[in-house]
Amino acid sequence: MRIRGGLSKVYSILLIGFLGLSSVGNVYGEEVKTIKDYNQVIELKDFEGKVILCLDSDIAFIDGKEVQGVSLLLEDNRVLLPLRIIAEGLKAKVDWDKKTGQIDVTTSKAKVTLKIGSKTMQIGNKNVSLEVAPFIKNKTTYLPLRAIGEALGVEVKYDQANKFVYVGGVVDGYLNSTLQVAFEKQNYNIIFSHKWCLIGEKNNKLFYRDLDNDKGWIELIAKQTKDKTVKYASFHVGDGIMGTDLIVRIVDNKQADLIVNDDIYDFQVQDGYVYYIKAHPMEALLSNTPEMMQYYDGNLMKVSIEEAIKANPKGRQVEGEILGEKGYFYGIGISLGSWEQDGKLYPMGFELNEGGTGYLVDWEVKPGGIYAIGVDVTSEHGDQTQGKYKVALTGNTHEKLQ
């Protein structure tokens, strides 16, 4: 999976503000949000011992818990951050002497002493020179973050692309993408969480967010059912190589459940089941040899919606039932050609629709069966098997109609 944004050490001087002179809200309150409020599949253990902030946001995450009212500044190409966030994230003890302006920061590893206006930082018995002296602005004291991070033995990195600051370790992949969603504060009501994506509702419209190949929130077009409160939608997440397709069930625009995670070309819903045409066998058919095609099972799938909803909270994926006769490819028009090594007819391409904008798709799910074009791609007389079929809704039989 692709990792969004490169990480680099902070080349500008990062500064942090003094604990005693700044007020940060929502730290110990009972209603504190966590990063899981934006993505339920996240494990808080991945954020333990980490403080993550964003230059463009007034929130931060300490051990995965959201803290509001964080005052970040950007002055003279320097990112300025409050010490309270760092102190809490590192479980440090901070003492402030208002008369002398001395700050003592102590953890189990070390003790650091600084003083307002002084460019000398004391680490144990060793003096270290600072590029910028600690100073007070807007009733908050600031001092060099990198120096504190190095002195206390914690990792400090800056993601310039996202303007994230990591103290105590970085996160990546879908964790980092979920942080981006949280820091944006665009007020989407998250109704579905997955390592690959999120689905959010805003102003009674549905949107999805690809966490692997992030291009922002994209409106989600769903298929309405007879029950107007229930919709189904399918969309692709990830890139063309590592990606996948999802089919989700959406109720009242407030809850969504994963039904299918597969390579999907098209789907329909009928009487408690999702039927879909698998996409990934298509290209394989064009590249495999006739011998390999003998292992092809089929591309017409059936999944119980009820079983899928029960299984997914437990992290399981329901195995779909393959419909139709083994070796048949249904629903999409295939042109046949000749393999040079033996002269037998096997698939060589796919038929386009009249507008030439996509493949010729011809299938419909009805109470009595699935009506679809089909062809036996494993037969040496494939041209004789092309036609319109009625495929049984269960099992592996069909009836050729024409």
Side-chain angles (χ1 to χ4, degrees):
M1 184 180 291
R2 183 177 59 85
I3 298 175
R4 297 177 64 253
L7 296 176
S8 62
K9 283 196 173 180
V10 185
Y11 294 106
S12 60
I13 298 177
L14 299 180
L15 303 169
I16 57 181
F18 174 56
L19 172 65
L21 298 181
S22 63
S23 176
V24 181
N26 221 19
V27 179
Y28 300 110
E30 295 181 358
E31 299 301 324
V32 173
K33 295 177 66 175
T34 73
I35 192 65
K36 286 181 69 68
D37 289 298
Y38 301 92
N39 192 336
Q40 287 294 315
V41 302
I42 283 179
E43 297 289 343
L44 287 180
K45 65 181 181 180
D46 292 326
F47 289 81
E48 289 180 359
K50 298 180 178 66
V51 180
I52 306 175
L53 314 95
C54 178
L55 184 61
D56 292 337
S57 176
D58 63 355
I59 65 173
F61 288 92
I62 301 174
D63 295 329
K65 296 178 181 179
E66 183 176 307
V67 178
Q68 300 177 0
V70 181
S71 177
L72 283 75
L73 304 174
L74 179 62
E75 296 182 358
D76 299 326
N77 294 320
R78 298 189 183 103
V79 181
L80 314 176
L81 311 172
L83 174 59
R84 179 170 188 170
I85 301 302
I86 308 304
E88 289 176 347
L90 303 180
K91 307 299 186 292
K93 178 184 177 183
V94 179
D95 295 308
W96 160 250
D97 189 327
K98 187 175 181 179
K99 291 183 179 179
T100 63
Q102 180 170 306
I103 306 166
D104 294 319
V105 182
T106 307
T107 71
S108 59
K109 295 182 180 179
K111 178 179 180 179
V112 178
T113 300
L114 305 102
K115 192 172 183 178
I116 299 298
S118 173
K119 288 189 176 182
T120 299
M121 175 174 65
Q122 187 177 8
I123 305 175
N125 296 321
K126 181 181 179 182
N127 290 333
V128 178
S129 297
L130 304 175
E131 295 182 37
V132 176
F135 65 94
I136 297 174
K137 183 174 182 178
N138 296 329
K139 298 183 179 181
T140 301
T141 301
Y142 294 90
L143 55 150
L145 172 61
R146 186 192 298 181
I148 291 292
E150 292 175 352
L152 300 183
V154 295
E155 181 183 15
V156 179
K157 286 192 175 182
Y158 180 58
D159 179 346
Q160 190 171 10
N162 291 315
K163 300 181 181 179
F164 290 177
V165 177
Y166 304 91
V167 182
V170 303
V171 297
D172 52 34
Y174 77 98
L175 302 178
N176 213 41
S177 298
T178 302
L179 282 169
Q180 184 72 55
V181 172
F183 285 133
E184 288 174 358
K185 295 183 68 175
Q186 293 184 359
N187 298 319
Y188 285 87
N189 177 31
I190 307 299
I191 65 171
F192 175 79
S193 304
H194 191 272
K195 284 188 177 182
W196 290 89
C197 70
L198 302 174
I199 296 178
E201 179 274 332
K202 188 174 183 180
N203 299 327
N204 207 33
K205 291 184 178 180
L206 296 172
F207 301 82
Y208 74 93
R209 184 79 173 252
D210 187 339
L211 297 181
D212 180 56
N213 188 23
D214 196 353
K215 296 180 180 179
W217 289 100
I218 300 173
E219 187 169 359
L220 183 61
I221 306 301
K223 293 182 178 181
Q224 194 79 51
T225 63
K226 293 180 180 179
D227 181 353
K228 296 186 181 300
T229 64
V230 179
K231 303 175 184 177
Y232 290 84
S234 178
F235 54 95
H236 183 83
V237 292
D239 59 27
I241 298 176
M242 295 290 290
T244 188
D245 299 303
L246 306 179
I247 298 176
V248 294
R249 175 181 182 263
I250 303 163
V251 181
D252 286 330
N253 282 2
K254 296 178 181 179
Q255 176 186 339
D257 296 290
L258 177 64
I259 307 301
V260 178
N261 180 353
D262 203 345
D263 293 320
I264 302 161
Y265 193 83
D266 195 17
F267 80 98
Q268 296 182 33
V269 180
Q270 180 78 35
D271 296 333
Y273 293 89
V274 166
Y275 300 85
Y276 68 96
I277 298 174
K278 294 185 72 166
H280 70 257
M282 295 169 59
E283 297 303 324
L285 290 176
L286 300 184
S287 59
N288 286 341
T289 64
E291 290 76 15
M292 289 297 295
M293 287 185 188
Q294 300 303 316
Y295 297 99
Y296 167 71
D297 290 323
N299 72 320
L300 194 56
M301 308 297 296
K302 171 186 178 182
V303 171
S304 166
I305 296 171
E306 181 180 0
E307 291 181 9
I309 292 174
K310 289 180 180 179
N312 280 302
K314 300 178 181 179
R316 295 188 289 110
Q317 174 75 23
V318 174
E319 290 291 333
E321 177 186 357
I322 301 175
L323 301 179
E325 291 195 10
K326 183 177 180 179
Y328 272 78
F329 191 92
Y330 298 101
I332 301 176
I334 294 180
S335 59
L336 299 176
S338 175
W339 291 91
E340 294 182 1
Q341 69 266 36
D342 56 14
K344 297 178 181 179
L345 293 175
Y346 288 96
M348 296 294 290
F350 298 94
E351 297 181 48
L352 298 178
N353 59 29
E354 292 184 2
T357 57
Y359 297 135
L360 174 63
V361 179
D362 186 352
W363 75 303
E364 183 179 5
V365 182
K366 295 183 177 182
I370 302 172
Y371 295 80
I373 56 176
V375 60
D376 185 352
V377 297
T378 65
S379 170
E380 61 184 71
H381 302 292
D383 57 331
Q384 298 177 19
T385 67
Q386 280 184 313
K388 194 69 173 284
Y389 290 84
K390 178 183 177 182
V391 183
L393 293 177
T394 188
N396 302 109
T397 61
H398 68 208
E399 173 189 353
K400 190 173 183 180
L401 302 177
Q402 62 183 45

